[in-house]
Amino acid sequence: FMAGEINSKQEDFVNLLSEIPLNVWEEIVKNEPEWRLMEQFYDKFDFGPLSVLMVATSLNDYQLKGDAEIYWCSIQKNLKGLNNTISINEIWKSLDNFYEKERLQKRKRERLKEFLDSKLASEELWNSSPEEVSRKFQDIWVELANAMKQNKKDKTIVFAMKSLGILLLMAKEKQNVQLPDF
């Protein structure tokens, strides 16, 4: 009896959320720290390298010293020194130095290396366009989980994909995104 009640309440909540107009959702998303603090890099970097940056930094957005606002503000300051023609190695050096000062620094640095060494980061995302990422969103989700040896439902994987979705919204690419069925 209780399970049916919860499902009904969840369904009512989802239905309520679906009634919110798209332009309102877009304003909500634009207030997320990942959007506000990373938007300035959209014109600085090509889409592919920026997608790698967004996913890499999102994978380590856990067990922070402060709230997400502080983390993303620190990431923003750290990335300002990068040239607009960055390489995977430059991203690694910059973020590795950043994570050296963070909580759980050893694990975060390992996760950074694990992602940046993956084919997903160094080839697929790095050379991608918004249209390709939008079209392959589900596949990228699975590839990311596999590259990180995690479940696709794990919070850090879901959050990294949320950040990649935010980047697609910055690119005004929202027509073809296919979300996975969980």
Side-chain angles (χ1 to χ4, degrees), residues 76-132:
Q76 176 198 50
K77 288 177 188 168
N78 186 65
L79 298 176
K80 280 185 178 178
L82 292 176
N83 294 326
N84 59 345
T85 55
I86 56 173
S87 67
I88 286 270
N89 194 40
E90 288 169 307
I91 290 174
W92 182 81
K93 285 180 193 173
S94 178
L95 292 177
D96 187 59
N97 288 335
F98 172 79
Y99 289 123
E100 197 172 75
K101 301 170 195 92
E102 290 293 300
R103 292 180 70 200
L104 306 173
Q105 56 111 340
K106 182 178 184 230
R107 181 65 188 132
K108 289 183 179 185
R109 292 167 76 202
E110 287 169 357
R111 286 174 60 80
L112 174 66
K113 183 167 179 24
E114 193 170 15
F115 173 64
L116 294 179
D117 283 347
S118 74
K119 183 180 174 190
L120 175 62
S122 64
E123 293 176 28
E124 293 174 42
L125 286 177
W126 192 267
N127 298 309
S128 68
S129 68
E131 298 79 20
E132 288 173 292

Side-chain angles (χ1 to χ4, degrees), residues 11-171:
E11 191 173 317
D12 290 346
F13 183 66
V14 169
N15 288 334
L16 178 66
L17 292 176
S18 71
E19 292 177 20
I20 297 173
L22 186 58
N23 64 326
V24 173
W25 279 117
E26 288 175 355
E27 289 306 312
I28 290 168
V29 172
K30 286 179 183 177
N31 281 311
E32 291 290 311
E34 308 85 81
W35 181 298
R36 285 186 295 101
L37 297 165
M38 296 297 282
E39 182 180 28
Q40 68 180 290
F41 299 112
Y42 185 79
D43 292 328
K44 182 175 181 176
F45 301 123
D46 289 339
F47 179 84
L50 186 54
S51 69
V52 170
L53 273 169
M54 289 291 281
V55 172
T57 53
S58 296
L59 285 168
N60 282 333
D61 184 343
Y62 68 94
Q63 292 287 318
L64 304 174
K65 290 191 225 176
D67 65 13
E69 187 80 23
I70 294 168
Y71 173 79
W72 286 96
C73 190
S74 299
I75 288 287
Q76 176 198 50
K77 288 177 188 168
N78 186 65
L79 298 176
K80 280 185 178 178
L82 292 176
N83 294 326
N84 59 345
T85 55
I86 56 173
S87 67
I88 286 270
N89 194 40
E90 288 169 307
I91 290 174
W92 182 81
K93 285 180 193 173
S94 178
L95 292 177
D96 187 59
N97 288 335
F98 172 79
Y99 289 123
E100 197 172 75
K101 301 170 195 92
E102 290 293 300
R103 292 180 70 200
L104 306 173
Q105 56 111 340
K106 182 178 184 230
R107 181 65 188 132
K108 289 183 179 185
R109 292 167 76 202
E110 287 169 357
R111 286 174 60 80
L112 174 66
K113 183 167 179 24
E114 193 170 15
F115 173 64
L116 294 179
D117 283 347
S118 74
K119 183 180 174 190
L120 175 62
S122 64
E123 293 176 28
E124 293 174 42
L125 286 177
W126 192 267
N127 298 309
S128 68
S129 68
E131 298 79 20
E132 288 173 292
V133 169
S134 176
R135 194 173 52 254
K136 296 178 180 178
F137 200 79
Q138 284 187 51
D139 295 334
I140 291 168
W141 198 313
V142 171
E143 285 183 59
L144 179 61
N146 290 339
M148 300 308 294
K149 298 172 186 73
Q150 290 184 255
N151 186 296
K152 65 183 180 184
K153 295 180 185 179
D154 288 354
K155 282 193 250 184
T156 55
I157 300 298
V158 172
F159 185 74
M161 292 306 296
K162 171 197 167 197
S163 295
L164 187 57
I166 284 175
L167 181 59
L168 288 173
L169 290 174
M170 282 182 204

